[in-house]
Amino acid sequence: MFSTPVLSFMLQWNAAKASCKLLPVLHASLHTGTEANETCKCGIIGGGLSGTSAAYYLRQLWGDKPLHVDIFEPQRVGGRLALVNVDGQDYEAGGAIIHPRNWHMAFFADHFGLGRRTINKRTHGLYNNEKGLYFQTSPWAFLSNSKVKSRYGGDIERFHNLVADTLLSFDRIYEHLYKIEAFTTVENLLRSMDERFLEQIHTTAAVMFKDAGFSDRFINEIVKGSLITNYSQTLHAPAFLSSISMAGAEPGSWSIQGGLRRLPEKFLEVSGATLIPGEVTHVFQKQSPNRTVSYEVGYKKAEHETGREKYDIIIIATPLDPGREKQIHFEDFPGGLDLPKIPYHPLQVLFTHGKMNESFFGKKSVPTHIMATETDVFFNRMAKQSPVNSGGVEEKEGYGVWKLYLNKTPTEEQVRAQS
């Protein structure tokens, strides 16, 4: 696929299957039993976007009242929002773009003075092992629109209507956030936004799009391809997942100058939380004679160094992957904790830097983004990258940094893919 490829970085994460069960994020009432003049201690497990933003919001909620927050993170602040350096330039290795309707991210980017970075114009292609690169758009908008319209006909208008309808309903989540409303189950949250969302988690993507009048070609290429690309799943996935995946196709996506991880770093700074570079191994529930509940966190700081800290509140802001080798053990919780056993999909990201071997695709011009439409393709998606800082180095024609989204580790032959 690439001539003289260079393997620069590989990052693995887990994409959870859709679940109807809400993880108990906050296992304590905000009424912790501490006196008004006593410092409330909160421990947050996980230093990604969820954990650092939780620390920020706790600080806002407590105001001038005494509050101490610790964040446990064994790797790096930002979690999946990681950067990889290729020839002196940084590229997004995890989350890379922000949807134009993500009002929260837009607010914080402006609030913290984080510059926005526009996403370069893209060309798109569809690929499977049988036909190779069998469809691609054009750099010219008029020609590209004509090709898409010719291939999918009335599905395009149906698609735009579906996306607009989905986003209109999904925007209602911000009303709950502004009112500081919470829900005990995912079902109740979805129902509050749109009753149809609740139906979609019990319906497959194939059934929903077929019932909506979409053609088999559109379903098997665009719907299926977007699910493979974003979630490493197919048309058997819940319809709600496909609706969200398809909504990502709306134009106007953007990113943060210098990388998305600047946002969790800013949350950590503004919250005043203390970062503890340790891996949590145990959470114990403690109950005093006056029935006040507290928690004790056991963690590993180094290979042979351990520690324990006591808290009034514990927030779990890390995936509890049942397949993970090192589990967090919850001890002394009366009746135990009913935590969801969510199966995870392992996903990988591979970066290469070199010249595209165009003969692999049988085309002289290769699009900047290529989406697999079958699961037997060794990559889910392939996308040409731009540095997180403006003014990156100019690449020679045909050269570039490419990011491959994979569902398993590829062979060297697959990456090199000689003609």
Side-chain angles (χ1 to χ4, degrees), residues 9-269:
F9 182 79
M10 182 170 283
L11 172 72
Q12 180 166 332
W13 72 81
N14 289 310
K17 287 183 179 178
S19 172
C20 304
K21 201 167 190 178
L22 186 65
L23 179 69
V25 177
L26 184 61
H27 195 274
S29 157
L30 293 181
H31 302 287
T32 61
T34 59
E35 297 295 333
N37 60 346
E38 291 182 2
T39 298
C40 177
K41 289 192 66 178
C42 175
I44 299 175
I45 304 173
L49 193 56
S50 297
T52 55
S53 62
Y56 171 85
Y57 280 114
L58 277 174
R59 182 68 275 168
Q60 303 304 306
L61 182 64
W62 248 256
D64 295 331
K65 299 184 183 71
L67 172 70
H68 178 86
V69 178
D70 289 333
I71 297 179
F72 294 88
E73 175 52 58
Q75 298 182 23
R76 57 184 172 270
V77 172
R80 230 174 19 95
L81 302 182
L83 296 177
V84 55
N85 188 277
V86 181
D87 286 351
Q89 294 289 329
D90 288 330
Y91 298 85
E92 296 281 14
I97 61 173
I98 300 170
H99 194 277
R101 296 279 279 273
N102 191 329
W103 309 127
H104 247 28
M105 293 292 280
F107 168 79
F108 283 116
D110 295 339
H111 181 66
F112 291 142
L114 307 177
R116 297 194 190 191
R117 179 170 63 90
T118 57
I119 304 299
N120 292 342
K121 291 183 178 180
R122 306 170 173 183
T123 52
H124 298 270
L126 303 177
Y127 180 92
N128 65 30
N129 286 334
E130 180 183 356
K131 303 175 186 176
L133 183 63
Y134 62 91
F135 178 76
Q136 64 185 99
T137 61
S138 167
W140 303 97
F142 175 77
L143 181 57
S144 187
N145 291 337
S146 297
K147 293 179 71 173
V148 171
K149 180 69 174 178
S150 174
R151 188 170 186 83
Y152 300 111
D155 288 332
I156 300 305
E157 184 177 354
R158 279 188 286 271
F159 164 70
H160 288 306
N161 290 338
L162 173 68
V163 169
D165 199 29
T166 298
L167 291 174
L168 186 63
S169 296
F170 199 85
D171 279 349
R172 292 172 186 153
I173 196 171
Y174 294 105
E175 298 176 16
H176 302 309
L177 291 170
Y178 298 146
K179 295 176 182 177
I180 318 181
E181 296 175 337
F183 298 85
T184 55
T185 67
V186 171
E187 287 92 339
N188 288 341
L189 172 60
L190 293 176
R191 185 181 289 112
S192 72
M193 292 189 288
D194 193 321
E195 195 75 34
R196 290 172 299 177
F197 286 173
L198 189 59
E199 298 171 5
Q200 289 177 11
I201 65 174
H202 299 295
T203 305
T204 66
V207 170
M208 186 190 81
F209 279 89
K210 190 68 175 177
D211 289 348
F214 287 87
S215 68
D216 289 341
R217 170 178 279 183
F218 187 89
I219 294 171
N220 289 315
E221 293 181 357
I222 303 302
V223 179
K224 186 179 180 181
S226 70
L227 284 167
I228 292 174
T229 290
N230 294 313
Y231 302 107
S232 196
Q233 298 194 49
T234 62
L235 295 170
H236 299 295
F240 179 71
L241 200 63
S242 65
S243 296
I244 299 303
S245 178
M246 300 290 285
E250 185 170 280
S253 295
W254 56 282
S255 193
I256 290 177
Q257 188 76 8
L260 288 179
R261 76 174 185 188
R262 292 182 63 202
L263 184 55
E265 290 172 349
K266 200 67 179 179
F267 279 140
L268 176 63
E269 175 191 339

Side-chain angles (χ1 to χ4, degrees), residues 246-367:
M246 300 290 285
E250 185 170 280
S253 295
W254 56 282
S255 193
I256 290 177
Q257 188 76 8
L260 288 179
R261 76 174 185 188
R262 292 182 63 202
L263 184 55
E265 290 172 349
K266 200 67 179 179
F267 279 140
L268 176 63
E269 175 191 339
V270 174
S271 71
T274 300
L275 181 66
I276 298 179
E279 182 176 22
V280 172
T281 58
H282 293 79
V283 176
F284 304 89
Q285 180 173 303
K286 303 292 182 180
Q287 190 164 343
S288 65
N290 65 357
R291 303 184 66 81
T292 298
V293 174
S294 62
Y295 305 90
E296 210 169 83
V297 170
Y299 62 98
K300 195 177 190 179
K301 292 186 283 187
E303 189 173 350
H304 301 293
E305 188 178 358
T306 61
R308 281 203 177 196
E309 297 290 343
K310 188 176 179 181
Y311 299 100
D312 303 297
I313 297 172
I314 289 293
I315 296 178
I316 309 299
T318 187
L320 298 180
D321 178 8
R324 189 170 64 178
E325 182 180 350
K326 298 178 180 179
Q327 298 285 338
I328 299 176
H329 300 280
F330 296 88
E331 307 283 350
D332 302 329
F333 284 77
L337 282 180
D338 184 22
L339 298 175
K341 300 295 189 293
I342 306 174
Y344 278 59
H345 290 295
L347 300 178
Q348 295 180 354
V349 169
L350 172 70
F351 282 83
T352 65
H353 186 199
K355 187 178 188 303
M356 175 71 75
N357 184 355
E358 295 170 348
S359 62
F360 176 85
F361 295 103
K363 306 285 184 180
K364 291 185 178 180
S365 176
V366 178

Side-chain angles (χ1 to χ4, degrees), residues 347-411:
L347 300 178
Q348 295 180 354
V349 169
L350 172 70
F351 282 83
T352 65
H353 186 199
K355 187 178 188 303
M356 175 71 75
N357 184 355
E358 295 170 348
S359 62
F360 176 85
F361 295 103
K363 306 285 184 180
K364 291 185 178 180
S365 176
V366 178
T368 61
H369 288 65
I370 301 171
M371 185 167 68
T373 55
E374 295 293 343
T375 56
D376 59 353
V377 179
F378 84 91
F379 63 88
N380 292 347
R381 179 162 66 112
M382 181 186 305
K384 193 173 184 180
Q385 301 297 294
S386 297
V388 297
N389 291 305
S390 298
V393 295
E394 288 290 333
E395 294 280 5
K396 296 178 182 179
E397 185 177 358
Y399 284 82
V401 173
W402 296 79
K403 182 177 179 181
L404 279 70
Y405 300 74
L406 311 162
N407 52 36
K408 60 182 177 182
T409 303
T411 64

